[in-house]
């Protein structure tokens, strides 16, 4: 199969589910496998949610189980955002015949990267516990990967605390390991992902076509809107679709190289991504391409075409 080889690492909640659908539908991408981790929900839920998305899109991507808890902190699932089941209460059936690989996520990722050195793109839409574990176990892995494009962090304010974005806050130690790994890194933080949103009108129009996939996204969007509409958000943000879309359509995005680190010891600032984008004092390194703008109209147009194209 042609296309950019991509491995996705997810904590499959609502926006992760849409990101998997996008990676499946984009002709520019060859989705190799998905690994799952705790985050939006517990590992058992994120794993089986991913299998449910496999069935929804009529795919059989290998799905690997990863970490059940962050490296250092207890897990605090985002029940208030993604609901008890991680999919906003939307119920999807499981595939009839599920094969659960007995290889841990980090081992499977390393084997895949070794089989195509310098080619595999890793997309992370979750706390980076699996990736940090893989980098610790296999110090040569960062050099085997083409790049790591991740949803996480923010050059500005947070969404789980005033300082921190959810993925970084859930496992700041893991995020710091990845940021210090020497891998080629692209950051899709809240600065850009909050620009990539569906309005409720757009979601209703998509579901009105009768598409099963479009109806699922609309139903997730309704749940998200019940939470975020009260906070004055513009719509259902496609946070986790941003790193996938960037790989296929980098021309939609603008960004800058920056030094980025994560606060791991603070109390008020735990999990904060610290960048030197807007500071007079600069870090002695530029380790991350931080995406800051996206062409929302084209982003949503492409994403909608992909979702409605799923049969």
């Amino acid at each position: 199969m042609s296309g950019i080889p991509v491995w996705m690492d997810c904590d499959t909640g609502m926006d992760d589910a849409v990101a998997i659908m996008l990676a499946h539908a984009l002709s520019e991408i060859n989705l190799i496998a998905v690994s799952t981790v705790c985050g939006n929900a517990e590992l058992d839920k994120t794993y089986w949610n991913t299998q449910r998305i496999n069935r929804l899109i009529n795919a059989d991507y290998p799905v690997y189980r990863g970490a059940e808890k962050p490296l250092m902190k207890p897990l605090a699932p985002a029940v208030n955002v993604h609901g008890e089941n991680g999919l906003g209460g939307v119920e999807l059936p499981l595939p009839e015949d599920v094969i659960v690989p007995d290889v841990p996520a980090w081992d499977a990722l390393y084997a895949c990267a070794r089989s195509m050195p310098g080619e595999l793109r890793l997309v992370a839409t979750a706390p980076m516990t699996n990736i940090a574990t893989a980098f610790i176990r296999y110090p040569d892995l960062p050099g085997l990967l083409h790049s790591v494009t991740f949803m996480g962090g923010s050059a500005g304010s947070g969404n789980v605390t005033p300082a921190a974005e959810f993925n970084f806050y859930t496992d700041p130690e893991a995020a710091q390991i990845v940021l210090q790994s020497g891998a080629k890194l692209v950051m899709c933080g809240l600065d850009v992902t909050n620009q990539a949103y569906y309005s409720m009108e757009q979601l209703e129009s998509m579901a009105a076509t009768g598409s099963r996939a479009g109806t699922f996204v609309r139903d997730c969007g309704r749940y998200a809107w019940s939470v975020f509409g009260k906070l004055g958000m513009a719509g259902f943000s496609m946070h986790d679709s941003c790193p996938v879309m960037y790989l296929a359509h980098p021309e939609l995005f603008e960004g800058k190289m920056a030094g980025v680190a994560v606060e791991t010891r603070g109390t008020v600032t735990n999990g904060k991504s610290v960048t030197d984008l807007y500071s007079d004092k600069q870090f002695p390194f530029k380790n991350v391409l931080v995406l800051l703008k996206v062409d929302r109209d084209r982003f949503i147009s492409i994403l909608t075409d992909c979702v409605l194209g799923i049969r």
Side-chain angles (χ1 to χ4, degrees):
M1 184 175 179
S2 61
I4 301 167
V6 171
W7 181 293
M8 294 187 68
D9 188 72
C10 304
D11 57 341
T12 305
M14 295 183 294
D15 50 334
D16 305 76
V18 181
I20 294 169
M21 295 162 67
L22 176 63
H24 169 74
L26 281 167
S27 61
E28 296 87 353
I29 286 180
N30 174 15
L31 182 57
I32 304 295
V34 183
S35 52
T36 57
V37 68
C38 63
N40 288 327
E42 296 85 354
L43 178 64
D44 277 347
K45 293 176 182 177
T46 64
Y47 181 85
W48 292 110
N49 285 348
T50 308
Q51 293 285 13
R52 289 181 169 91
I53 298 302
N54 251 344
R55 175 165 178 169
L56 178 67
I57 62 179
N58 293 312
D60 57 356
Y61 298 113
V63 183
Y64 295 91
R65 293 174 63 92
E68 296 183 350
K69 60 185 181 63
L71 295 180
M72 303 288 289
K73 298 171 65 174
L75 175 66
V79 176
N80 61 318
V81 174
H82 292 269
E84 289 290 342
N85 74 343
L87 294 177
V90 180
E91 297 293 340
L92 293 175
L94 283 168
E96 293 180 3
D97 299 308
V98 177
I99 298 175
V100 181
D102 58 3
V103 179
W106 34 83
D107 293 344
L109 171 61
Y110 180 65
C112 185
R114 282 197 66 185
S115 72
M116 53 178 75
E119 297 180 29
L120 185 64
R121 278 73 164 174
L122 175 56
V123 168
T125 64
M128 290 195 278
T129 316
N130 285 348
I131 303 169
T133 300
F135 284 3
I136 292 169
R137 287 174 176 260
Y138 304 106
D140 59 331
L141 178 55
L144 292 172
L145 294 169
H146 175 278
S147 55
V148 181
T149 305
F150 62 88
M151 189 282 133
S154 168
S157 59
N159 63 354
V160 68
T161 74
E165 176 276 330
F166 176 81
N167 286 342
F168 274 28
Y169 179 81
T170 298
D171 199 337
E173 287 79 12
Q176 184 71 327
I177 287 169
V178 174
L179 290 174
Q180 294 177 333
S181 68
K184 179 181 177 183
L185 303 174
V186 181
M187 172 175 152
C188 300
L190 297 176
D191 318 275
V192 68
T193 65
N194 277 331
Q195 299 172 38
Y197 64 89
Y198 270 116
S199 69
M200 285 309 302
E201 292 77 13
Q202 288 171 320
L203 290 169
E204 294 293 349
S205 295
M206 192 160 55
T209 66
S211 159
R212 290 184 307 118
T215 300
F216 167 75
V217 178
R218 187 278 311 275
D219 291 346
C220 289
R222 282 180 172 174
Y223 186 89
W225 186 245
S226 71
V227 177
F228 294 116
K230 299 173 184 176
L231 302 177
M233 301 289 286
F236 181 24
S237 293
M238 297 289 97
H239 300 289
D240 293 340
S241 290
C242 283
V244 176
M245 188 73 79
Y246 173 78
L247 291 182
H249 292 282
E251 73 278 2
L252 302 185
F253 297 83
E254 297 179 21
K256 294 182 179 179
M257 289 299 300
V260 182
V262 183
E263 176 56 63
T264 60
R265 297 184 181 181
T267 51
V268 174
T269 57
N270 190 250
K272 178 177 176 57
S273 45
V274 181
T275 81
D276 60 6
L277 279 172
Y278 310 117
S279 60
D280 293 332
K281 179 66 175 178
Q282 299 287 293
F283 286 123
F285 52 84
K286 301 291 181 186
N287 57 332
V288 183
L289 173 61
V290 180
L291 302 185
L292 298 168
K293 293 183 180 180
V294 63
D295 183 335
R296 174 180 173 263
D297 290 341
R298 289 188 63 200
F299 180 102
I300 292 297
S301 176
I302 294 170
L303 179 54
T304 300
D305 287 346
C306 285
V307 171
L308 294 182
I310 293 172
R311 296 289 182 263

